[in-house]
C-alpha cells in the first residue's frame, strides 16, 4: 500500500466509524492511494461447465480461454483442470495462494453434481466463492486474514440479516464436504458465526472489478476484491475522490485500485468515494445505503434533495430507480444553460445555483456525459513538477477530455466542499 502515509490518515469519526482524512492539502488528479487486494474472487457462478474467460489469478481476459484450442496460451490447474491461467507464473502463484490445494478441493466438491448449490440463487454460489477464499486466507496469510477480520461488518448489523441465513447454509455445506482449514481448526475459529461475520465484511467492503464499459449493456463485475486501506473510505453522494481500476492493463499490478482526487481539498477534510454512480436519485441512494450499508446518508447533497417535492413519489413509485428523474435533469440543464454576463449576474446566478441545486457544478464538471456511462471525471495526475493536468479521465469509460470541453463555465468562485 503506497502513498497513504503522508497524504491520508485514518481517524475515528462520530457516527461514521473510521474515515480517511487529508493529512495535507491535496490537488485534483493527485493519486492518494494505490492499494493491492488481500483477496480476490470471481463474480461468476461456481457451477458452470465452461472455463472462465479470465485468468484465475490476475483476472485479466484470457486471449485463448479454452486450453484445448489450437494455439491456446492458457494454462490450467493440473488438479481440477477447471481453472485457467494466462501464464505459468500466474499458475504457480495461484497454486500457492488463491488456488491452493485446499481451495481447489473445496471448489471441486462444491461443483460436483448433484450440488446442493444448484437449487440456490446464483448469489449463493458467489458467496460460496468468497467464503472459500476467506477461509483460505487463514492458510496462506494469517496477517491478511486478521486484516480481513478487522474490517467493518458484524453478523448482527442491520445489513447482515440476509447474509446470516446464507452463512449458516454455506458453513454447514462446506464443512460437510471438506475438512476445515487446519489454521482455523487449531484456533477453534471455524464456525457458522465466523462465516456470518466474514460475509458481513464482504458485503460492506468488497469492491467489484468491473468489465469494460459498453454503451449498450449494463456493466457487470468480473471479480470482487477486498482492499484493506480503500475499505476505510466512507461514502459521500458528491465525492471528492474516485477509484480507477485497470484490470486488463499490462503488468502484474493490474488488480491494484488507484484512488485519485477529483478536485483540490484542504488538509483535514474527509476524503470520500461514492459507493455507486453519482447520477442515482435521492430515494434510490438512501435505499441502497440503508439496505446494503446500514446508514442514512446525511451528506450536503442529501440534505438539499430531501426537500425536493418529488421524493415521496420516488420512494413509493420507483422499483428500480437508477438515474436522475426528469425534474432533476431539467434543473441541471437549466443551471448549465444560464450564461451570466456581468460580475453581479455571475454572483446572483451562483447564489441561485447553490441554494436550488448546489451540486449542479459537480455534475457539469465531473460527470461523464457519454451515453449510459455516468462515470466520474478526475484530472490526470499532476506532472512531476506539480503542474496540474487539464485533461480529465472518466473512471468508467476511460474517455479523456480537455477541461474546457466539459464545461465552459469558469471554475473561479465556485467552491466544492467534499
Ligand atoms: C467500507 S466501510 C467504510 C469505513 C468504515 N467507516 C470503518 O470504520 O471501517 C462502510 C461503512 O462505513 C460506514 N459509513 C460509510 N459512509 C458513511 C456515511 N456517509 N455516513 C455514515 N456511515 C458511513 C457505514 O457503516 C458503512 O457500512
Amino acid at each position: 500500500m503506497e502513498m497513504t502515509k503522508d497524504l491520508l490518515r485514518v481517524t475515528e469519526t462520530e457516527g461514521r466509524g473510521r474515515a480517511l482524512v487529508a493529512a495535507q492539502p491535496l490537488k485534483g488528479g493527485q493519486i492518494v492511494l494505490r492499494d493491492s487486494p488481500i483477496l480476490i474472487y470471481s463474480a461468476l457462478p461456481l457451477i458452470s461447465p465452461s472455463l472462465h474467460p479470465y485468468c484465475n489469478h490476475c483476472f485479466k481476459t484470457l486471449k485463448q480461454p479454452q486450453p484445448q484450442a489450437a494455439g491456446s496460451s492458457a494454462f490450467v490447474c493440473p488438479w481440477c483442470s477447471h481453472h485457467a491461467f494466462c501464464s505459468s507464473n500466474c499458475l504457480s502463484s495461484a497454486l500457492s495462494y488463491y488456488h491452493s490445494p485446499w481451495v481447489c478441493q473445496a471448489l471441486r466438491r462444491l461443483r460436483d453434481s448433484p450440488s446442493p448449490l444448484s437449487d440456490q440463487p446464483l448469489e449463493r454460489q458467489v458467496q460460496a466463492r468468497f467464503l472459500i477464499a476467506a477461509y483460505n486466507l487463514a492458510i496462506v496469510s494469517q496477517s491478511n486474514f486478521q486484516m480481513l477480520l478487522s474490517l467493518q461488518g458484524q453478523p448482527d448489523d442491520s445489513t447482515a440479516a440476509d447474509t446470516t441465513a446464507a452463512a449458516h447454509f454455506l458453513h454447514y455445506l462446506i464443512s460437510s464436504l471438506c475438512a476445515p482449514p487446519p489454521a482455523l481448526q487449531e484456533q477453534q475459529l471455524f464456525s457458522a458465526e465466523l462465516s456470518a461475520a466474514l460475509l458481513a465484511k464482504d458485503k460492506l467492503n468488497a469492491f467489484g472489478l468491473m468489465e469494460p464499459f459498453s454503451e449498450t449493456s449494463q456493466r457487470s463485475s468480473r471479480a470482487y476484491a477486498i482492499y484493506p486501506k480503500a475499505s476505510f473510505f466512507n461514502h459521500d453522494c458528491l465525492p471528492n475522490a474516485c477509484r480507477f481500476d485497470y484490470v486488463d492493463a499490462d503488468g502484474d499490478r493490474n488488480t491494484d485500485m488507484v484512488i485519485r482526487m477529483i478536485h483540490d481539498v484542504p488538509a483535514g477534510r474527509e476524503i470520500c468515494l461514492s459507493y455507486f454512480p453519482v447520477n442515482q436519485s435521492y430515494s434510490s441512494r438512501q435505499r441502497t445505503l440503508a439496505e446494503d450499508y446500514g446508514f442514512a446518508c446525511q451528506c450536503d447533497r442529501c440534505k438539499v434533495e430531501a426537500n425536493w417535492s418529488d421524493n415521496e413519489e420516488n420512494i413509493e413509485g420507483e422499483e428500480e430507480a437508477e438515474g436522475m428523474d426528469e425534474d432533476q435533469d431539467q434543473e441541471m440543464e437549466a443551471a448549465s444553460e444560464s450564461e451570466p454576463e456581468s460580475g453581479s449576474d455571475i454572483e446572483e446566478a451562483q447564489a441561485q445555483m447553490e441554494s436550488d441545486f448546489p451540486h449542479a457544478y459537480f455534475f457539469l464538471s465531473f460527470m461523464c456525459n457519454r451515453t449510459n456511462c455516468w462515470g466520474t471525471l478526475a484530472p490526470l495526475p499532476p506532472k512531476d513538477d506539480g503542474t496540474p493536468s487539464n485533461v480529465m479521465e472518466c473512471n468508467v469509460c476511460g474517455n479523456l477530455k480537455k477541461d474546457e470541453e466539459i464545461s465552459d463555465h469558469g471554475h473561479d468562485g465556485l467552491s466544492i466542499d467534499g
Side-chain angles (χ1 to χ4, degrees):
M1 280 159 271
E2 291 167 12
M3 310 193 82
T4 44
K5 215 161 145 249
D6 304 324
L7 300 179
L8 301 177
R9 62 186 161 77
V10 181
T11 183
E12 276 294 328
T13 53
E14 180 77 36
R16 303 155 67 98
R18 291 164 293 195
L20 288 169
V21 168
Q24 54 177 267
L26 299 172
K27 291 276 171 210
Q30 197 167 357
I31 295 176
V32 288
L33 176 67
R34 184 181 188 112
D35 203 5
S36 301
I38 53 171
L39 177 160
I40 312 188
Y41 61 100
S42 168
L44 299 182
L46 184 64
I47 301 168
S48 145
S50 51
L51 291 178
H52 286 172
Y54 316 114
C55 170
N56 262 266
H57 185 69
C58 70
F59 285 91
K60 288 182 198 172
T61 306
L62 288 172
K63 292 191 178 74
Q64 292 275 352
Q66 301 302 330
Q68 57 273 35
S72 167
S73 54
F75 295 76
V76 285
C77 167
W79 305 314
C80 67
S81 308
H82 200 84
H83 286 86
F85 302 89
C86 64
S87 65
S88 58
N89 273 350
C90 272
L91 172 60
S92 66
S93 304
L95 296 183
S96 57
Y97 203 83
Y98 292 132
H99 197 70
S100 70
W102 188 82
V103 171
C104 185
Q105 186 193 58
L107 292 180
R108 201 167 45 217
R109 292 189 176 166
L110 280 175
R111 250 190 335 259
D112 277 352
S113 60
S115 171
L117 273 179
S118 38
D119 298 334
Q120 294 284 318
L122 282 183
E123 186 195 0
R124 204 70 71 241
Q125 298 189 26
V126 183
Q127 288 172 321
R129 282 188 185 281
F130 164 74
L131 275 184
I132 300 281
Y135 297 149
N136 180 55
L137 263 195
I139 303 175
V140 297
S141 170
Q142 262 298 322
S143 57
N144 283 348
F145 183 67
Q146 293 307 326
M147 211 179 271
L148 175 63
L149 287 182
S150 71
L151 298 181
Q152 172 112 345
Q154 293 301 328
D156 50 3
D157 287 353
S158 61
T159 53
D162 55 337
T163 47
T164 303
H168 279 75
F169 169 81
L170 289 169
H171 178 79
Y172 291 112
L173 175 62
I174 293 168
S175 27
S176 71
L177 294 176
C178 31
L184 293 179
Q185 216 172 355
E186 279 157 24
Q187 297 169 51
Q188 300 189 327
L189 275 178
F190 194 64
S191 64
E193 289 66 35
L194 173 69
S195 302
L198 289 169
L199 279 180
K201 291 173 196 307
D202 180 55
K203 185 164 180 188
L204 297 190
N205 297 286
F207 286 84
L209 292 179
M210 306 306 285
E211 290 292 3
F213 168 74
S214 143
E215 280 184 9
T216 49
S217 57
Q218 212 175 356
R219 206 167 172 232
S220 58
S221 296
R222 168 183 303 192
Y224 296 104
I226 301 284
Y227 294 88
K229 277 276 193 310
S231 289
F232 292 151
F233 284 110
N234 284 330
H235 166 88
D236 196 291
C237 297
L238 287 183
N240 47 23
C242 63
R243 58 173 283 204
F244 285 83
D245 53 83
Y246 306 94
V247 67
D248 276 323
D250 291 341
D252 58 3
R253 299 193 63 181
N254 64 306
T255 53
D256 281 7
M257 171 171 304
V258 176
I259 307 290
R260 265 187 8 222
M261 295 305 298
I262 297 174
H263 53 74
D264 298 359
V265 300
R269 179 69 50 81
E270 183 176 351
I271 306 304
C272 289
L273 307 178
S274 174
Y275 290 174
F276 36 70
V278 290
N279 67 308
Q280 291 197 22
S281 67
Y282 170 79
S283 47
S284 169
R285 301 196 310 273
Q286 287 287 339
R287 188 165 43 231
T288 304
L289 292 170
E291 288 173 4
D292 294 351
Y293 296 96
F295 69 92
C297 188
Q298 293 180 325
C299 73
D300 290 347
R301 179 179 171 194
C302 283
K303 281 183 198 149
V304 170
E305 290 185 16
N307 297 320
W308 286 1
S309 55
D310 48 356
N311 280 326
E312 283 309 309
E313 237 171 72
N314 282 348
I315 290 166
E316 284 161 21
E318 71 188 344
E319 280 298 304
E320 274 303 312
E322 288 303 322
M324 283 186 297
D325 62 29
E326 226 171 82
D327 287 354
Q328 287 164 276
D329 266 339
Q330 278 164 7
E331 286 194 53
M332 194 174 109
E333 271 165 33
S336 70
E337 276 162 14
S338 56
E339 281 286 352
E341 277 160 19
S342 70
S344 63
D345 283 348
I346 292 174
E347 277 162 28
E348 234 173 75
Q350 282 174 3
Q352 185 64 30
M353 211 156 142
E354 284 182 26
S355 65
D356 290 354
F357 195 42
H359 34 289
Y361 179 76
F362 185 97
F363 287 128
L364 291 172
S365 304
F366 305 123
M367 194 156 83
C368 184
N369 57 8
R370 194 164 163 191
T371 310
N372 289 333
C373 176
W374 309 118
T376 303
L377 302 167
L380 291 178
K383 299 206 180 84
D384 288 345
D385 64 2
T387 319
S389 173
N390 67 346
V391 178
M392 307 288 277
E393 183 184 8
C394 172
N395 72 341
V396 170
C397 72
N399 264 3
L400 295 176
K401 287 181 182 175
K402 283 251 175 72
D403 220 356
E404 57 271 23
E405 287 171 27
I406 299 158
S407 159
D408 52 6
H409 295 276
H411 286 197
D412 298 346
L414 282 176
S415 70
I416 305 273
D417 289 332

